Every structure is written in structure tokens, then in C-alpha cells.
Amino acid sequence: MKAIRFDHYGEPKDVLTVTEQPVPQPGPGQVRVKIRFSPINPSDLLYVRGHYSGVTPHFPSGAGFEGVAVIDAIGPDVEGLFVGQRVLARNSAGGNWSQYAVVPAEKAWPVPDDIPDEQIASFMINPASAILMVRHVLAVPRGEWLLQSAAGGELGRMIIRLAKHDGIRTINVVRRREAAQELKDLGADEVIVSGDAPIDEQVHNIVGPQGVGFAIDPVAGQTGTEIFRSLSEDGHMLVYGSLSGQGISVGEDPRLTLSGRRTLEVYWLGYWLPRLNESGFFTPDRPAIPQLIGEIVELIRAGILNTSPGKQFGLDDIRAAVTEAELAAHSGKVLLAPGQPRSAARPSIMTSQDTVETIEENVCPRR
């Protein structure tokens, strides 16, 4: 079978290669799946670069953390799943950028027939993060302000739609002025351009000197620092990435360290998923993961947590695929289709006017 591998950390377009591997065999408690689509997420590319926490590759390593697949073989001691069943396959060790993969049975989740493959492919990482961050970890009340950076990305847009649905007001930070109207059309209450003035100054002009109670940031660096300065004295901020590659400064203004009770917290989906049953986020009468999946399904059907599918690439075109995924002008989530032949990249099945901001569009504002 064909599988994407890398022998050492580096730029994805330089280190990712197509290899021939034996078809893996499932062991006890495992299933083998045939991958239909696997998205190229920022976390996948961070993993290849060696910047992703919590997963240590054993070289040569596979890549790809999520995807939609069909169960192809079942190992011993597996119950409740069957060959031919379509599932969301979560591969915590990386390896879904291949024709076949073996995953633990408890991470092969059956999905409803009415949701397209392109949505199931990106079902868990972004939609689950939007729900967990907004509704559960932050638990933003109706009517409150939520500030987020990198608002033009797929996850940022999901958060805008989810907040609008839940009655939460959003302030959204972008680099490109032309993105403002796009986000307003999605339901953003306010959009600010990071290069116009310090983010905290612009936020205070909108909400007043007290600041915002809740914030989400995947950029860190100067952007994250200014987001932190935008918090109210008991504000709560989640950091779920570091697109700038820089740290956040919380002590440069003594007023922010000598008064109030501001909370700066790291959010990582890989931390929360194994702990959902004990988190208190869901009712204790049944397992939490099925409840989370049900919540995602409901919101995808309502058009709230939908992913905009982008171009599709075969495994042989992995370099073109990762390059496309980091272009400022690409539209939608780039998908790998392991069964697709070389040089057969297809446009999105669903058209979208959404232009996704890349790392270069989201790092520290120009001054």
C-alpha cells in the first residue's frame, strides 16, 4: 500500500515522501480501516516540523491524525463494529495519510449516513475544539463578549457561527481588511484589523475599559500578548496554538499581575478527549464521547460546524497538497484522497467564498 512517511523533522514539502508499505494487520482491540479522506490540519504540519506537543514520532513516522474511512478488517476482542462500516478514524499516533491504517477500535466511531465524507474527514479536531472551548472549558454565557484571533481560519469561522447560535457576541481579529466583511456575513459582531492599532486598544474602544471576559488565541507572540491585555480583571483566556512561534508576555504591565484574577490556560484536544468522562462537561449517565459526537452531528446538520472542503490530492501529490494547505489564497480544507491517482487534484465539491488565513496572515501585526 502507499503511505506518507517522514524520516526526520523538517518542512513538510521537503521531508514528506510517498512509500510502499505492507498492509497492516489489526491486533487485539484494533481495526484496520481503508481511508477515504484525511485533512491536512495545522496540527499535522506542526507534528511534521517537530513542534507538536504530546505525540513523539518513532522514525520513520506516518502522519495524519483524523479522517473518514471504512472498516476493512477487525482484530480479536472487538465488539460493536463490522467490516464495511463507515467511521471517523482518529489516529492519535499519526498515520491516516495512507491507503490503510490500524487504529484502536474505541477510536473508530460510527457516523450517520446523511453527513458527507468531506465533513466526516474533519469531524473531530476543529468541531470538537469549537464546542469544548466555547461551551465547556470557557463556558461563555449568553450575551458575553468572546475575543478571538486568527478568526479567518476554518476553526475561527466555526467559532463565529457557534457563538452566534449560542447568543455570544464576538470580537474577531484578522490581518486582512478584506476579510472583515466575510466574517460579518458569517455572524461576527465586531472585526478588528490587527495592524490598525494594538488589539487591546481596539477592544477597549468597543467594550469599554473593563475589557472582555473570554478570549481564544492560537497565535501567541505579540498578538497573544495584546489579547491577554484585553481581558477583564477576572477574564479567562485559552491558548490553543503558537502560529507565531513566540511566547506570550503577561508581566510587562504590572497592573495585570498585581490586580485581578486573570486566567491564562492552555487548551489541547489531546488532553481533554481522554478525560471527558471525568470533566463534568457531559451528563454522567452515559459515556461522554458519544455525547460530544451527537452534539457535533446536530451542529453540522444545522450548518454551524460545517467545514468548507477544499482541493483534493492523491498521496503521490503530497508536496503539492501541503503547499496548497499553507497558501493564503486557498479556499476550504485541503483533503488527501489516498485512492486518488497522481495529478488529479479536484476542486471543492462545495464552493466557498471563504478565504482561509494562513500562518503568515495571522502572526504578529505589522506596526
Side-chain angles (χ1 to χ4, degrees):
M1 70 168 190
K2 290 183 179 179
I4 302 300
R5 294 285 188 270
F6 63 108
D7 294 326
H8 56 85
Y9 294 131
E11 285 302 303
K13 65 181 178 59
D14 297 327
V15 301
L16 292 172
T17 60
V18 184
T19 66
E20 285 291 337
Q21 302 290 331
V23 176
Q25 299 302 314
Q30 296 179 325
V31 297
R32 184 175 70 213
V33 295
K34 185 176 182 180
I35 306 293
R36 288 183 174 178
F37 294 108
S38 183
I40 298 179
N41 290 317
S43 56
D44 298 312
L45 302 180
L46 286 172
Y47 176 61
V48 175
R49 290 182 170 108
H51 298 158
Y52 192 71
S53 175
V55 183
T56 302
H58 300 281
F59 296 121
S61 175
F65 291 130
E66 67 177 338
V68 59
V70 174
I71 294 178
D72 180 71
I74 295 178
D77 306 321
V78 173
E79 297 180 355
L81 298 174
F82 57 86
V83 172
Q85 190 172 23
R86 190 179 70 143
V87 295
L88 162 67
R90 180 167 174 261
N91 197 329
S92 301
N96 277 2
W97 293 356
S98 59
Q99 291 179 306
Y100 296 88
V102 167
V103 299
E106 67 268 18
K107 294 184 179 179
W109 296 308
V111 288
D113 292 338
D114 63 314
I115 299 181
D117 281 349
E118 290 77 9
Q119 296 298 321
I120 299 300
S122 301
F123 185 93
M124 183 54 70
I125 292 178
N126 280 351
S129 290
I131 287 174
L132 291 176
M133 286 194 294
V134 174
R135 288 185 169 181
H136 298 293
V137 180
L138 287 179
V140 185
R142 293 182 66 88
E144 290 292 331
W145 285 105
L146 172 64
L147 169 65
Q148 69 160 336
S149 60
E154 281 293 321
L155 180 51
R157 291 165 185 263
M158 285 184 185
I159 289 171
I160 290 172
R161 295 192 296 264
L162 180 62
K164 188 73 172 180
H165 178 268
D166 288 357
I168 298 165
R169 296 180 291 177
T170 59
I171 303 175
N172 302 275
V173 181
V174 297
R175 278 288 307 272
R176 299 178 299 108
R177 190 175 307 280
E178 57 269 27
Q181 189 57 51
E182 298 173 18
L183 300 190
K184 286 274 192 178
D185 293 341
L186 287 179
D189 293 283
E190 299 286 347
V191 181
I192 61 178
V193 180
S194 57
D196 285 354
I199 293 169
D200 51 308
E201 290 184 10
Q202 297 188 67
V203 169
H204 290 138
N205 287 336
I206 294 169
V207 305
Q210 73 275 9
V212 296
F214 306 92
I216 297 174
D217 172 54
V219 180
Q222 186 63 25
T223 294
T225 298
E226 293 176 6
I227 294 283
F228 182 79
R229 292 205 303 253
S230 304
L231 292 176
S232 62
E233 64 178 10
D234 57 354
H236 191 173
M237 175 177 172
L238 293 182
V239 178
Y240 69 93
S242 180
L243 295 177
S244 67
Q246 302 170 352
I248 294 176
S249 176
V250 300
E252 62 179 6
D253 186 342
R255 294 171 296 178
L256 300 184
T257 54
L258 298 176
S259 64
R261 185 176 170 269
R262 297 166 186 84
T263 302
L264 179 63
E265 181 179 351
V266 172
Y267 168 86
W268 180 43
L269 182 64
Y271 172 86
W272 281 113
L273 286 182
R275 295 169 173 82
L276 280 189
N277 286 333
E278 297 78 38
S279 67
F281 296 160
F282 298 92
T283 59
D285 57 335
R286 58 193 180 97
I289 289 288
Q291 295 184 64
L292 174 61
I293 289 175
E295 206 169 336
I296 294 171
V297 167
E298 175 187 342
L299 290 166
I300 288 178
R301 286 173 173 160
I304 305 300
L305 295 184
N306 297 68
T307 300
S308 302
K311 289 183 179 179
Q312 299 171 13
F313 293 84
L315 296 180
D316 288 319
D317 286 316
I318 183 61
R319 291 185 179 180
V322 295
T323 299
E324 173 73 17
E326 296 195 286
L327 286 177
H330 86 271
S331 178
K333 178 66 68 177
V334 175
L335 298 174
L336 287 177
Q340 195 162 288
R342 186 179 182 87
S343 300
R346 293 186 291 161
S348 165
I349 293 175
M350 299 164 56
T351 59
S352 171
Q353 298 301 314
D354 297 343
T355 301
V356 181
E357 294 181 319
T358 57
I359 292 174
E360 290 78 8
E361 291 295 312
N362 286 319
V363 295
C364 302
R366 296 189 184 100
R367 291 285 187 248

